[in-house]
Amino acid sequence: MIEKYFPFTHEQLAKIEQFYEIHVNAVLNVTAIKDREDFYRKHVLDSFLIFTERKRLLKSPVCDIGTGGGFPGIILAIMFPQVKFTLVDSIAKKCKFVEDAAKELGLDNVEVITSRAENIKDRKFATILSRGVAKTAEILKYTDKLAERKSVWVLYKGENAENELYSAKNIIIKKHLEWENVRYDEPIQRTYTVIHHTDDYSRLA
């Protein structure tokens, strides 16, 4: 079902299927979704859908905050091997699972850090991703030191995206940021909140 949305190579499709098998057979229960069709729709497609239309959004290096079971970081690393990904989670067991999976999949563009985002020092990222981790205001606060002047945040949100942005208005104004909600109702239901600095629109097309 994912082939219609991106020109996958046979190798990439094989790696995604292998990642599904890794999840199904994992001792650590990092996702409740084991059904193959649900896994591909709710995890795989959800991880990459916005980047099929907004091709400039994803710029290296990328930080995936709260990667959990490796979404969206591992999926995107398979699809974009030229992009460097840093997958961050505060739970050591999840990081070990993702690190082992990346090695098994042969992804040399992935590193994994066990830490809270606000505790990472001396690192800057062009793209910051967060899927189902915290509210928008909290993510902006926790990742402030990870952002460059031209960094872009892509936050995976639901129907409360507008309310979260309203709650984040003070930090958005203070940091001179602007935002756009990109909504999909088909083939998945997802709102991607894209946040960028007010003087840089170069990656939004």
Side-chain angles (χ1 to χ4, degrees), residues 91-142:
I91 300 176
K93 288 182 178 180
K94 291 182 178 180
C95 287
K96 181 66 165 57
F97 168 82
V98 172
E99 190 169 37
D100 288 347
K103 289 179 180 178
E104 189 172 338
L105 295 168
L107 300 177
D108 58 8
N109 59 332
V110 171
E111 69 166 341
V112 181
I113 297 177
T114 304
S115 176
R116 294 182 63 84
E118 61 268 31
N119 294 332
I120 298 175
K121 302 183 184 301
D122 303 320
R123 299 291 300 272
K124 298 292 183 182
F125 298 94
T127 312
I128 298 172
L129 311 176
S130 180
R131 180 177 182 260
V133 176
K135 293 183 178 180
T136 299
E138 295 171 333
I139 289 295
L140 292 175
K141 178 182 177 181
Y142 296 155

Side-chain angles (χ1 to χ4, degrees), residues 5-178:
Y5 301 102
F6 186 82
F8 290 97
T9 65
H10 291 300
E11 182 182 5
Q12 287 171 329
L13 290 172
K15 285 185 177 182
I16 292 173
E17 179 65 18
Q18 184 180 356
F19 191 44
Y20 166 67
E21 294 293 339
I22 290 172
H23 268 279
V24 169
N25 298 313
V27 175
L28 180 66
N29 187 22
V30 289
T31 176
I33 299 174
K34 302 297 184 180
D35 178 78
R36 187 178 185 276
E37 183 176 344
D38 283 347
F39 183 91
Y40 270 77
R41 186 178 71 256
K42 296 180 179 180
H43 280 327
V44 178
L45 184 57
D46 184 55
S47 291
F48 73 78
L49 187 58
I50 187 173
F51 301 108
T52 63
E53 295 182 349
R54 304 296 182 93
K55 301 182 186 302
R56 296 181 183 178
L57 277 183
L58 198 67
K59 182 178 179 182
S60 188
V62 177
C63 187
D64 176 12
I65 299 296
T67 190
F71 307 105
I74 291 291
I75 300 301
L76 295 174
I78 292 171
M79 296 172 64
F80 302 98
Q82 75 281 9
V83 176
K84 298 294 183 181
F85 290 85
T86 298
L87 279 52
V88 177
D89 205 286
S90 62
I91 300 176
K93 288 182 178 180
K94 291 182 178 180
C95 287
K96 181 66 165 57
F97 168 82
V98 172
E99 190 169 37
D100 288 347
K103 289 179 180 178
E104 189 172 338
L105 295 168
L107 300 177
D108 58 8
N109 59 332
V110 171
E111 69 166 341
V112 181
I113 297 177
T114 304
S115 176
R116 294 182 63 84
E118 61 268 31
N119 294 332
I120 298 175
K121 302 183 184 301
D122 303 320
R123 299 291 300 272
K124 298 292 183 182
F125 298 94
T127 312
I128 298 172
L129 311 176
S130 180
R131 180 177 182 260
V133 176
K135 293 183 178 180
T136 299
E138 295 171 333
I139 289 295
L140 292 175
K141 178 182 177 181
Y142 296 155
T143 61
D144 181 53
K145 294 181 180 179
L146 303 179
E148 302 174 314
R149 180 62 185 166
K150 293 188 177 183
S151 293
V152 170
W153 289 260
V154 180
L155 310 182
Y156 293 60
K157 295 296 178 181
E159 294 182 357
N160 289 326
E162 292 282 354
N163 292 335
E164 289 192 26
L165 284 164
Y166 181 80
S167 298
K169 64 179 181 179
N170 289 338
I171 190 170
I172 288 174
I173 293 171
K174 181 180 179 181
K175 298 295 183 182
H176 304 287
L177 302 173
E178 292 188 6

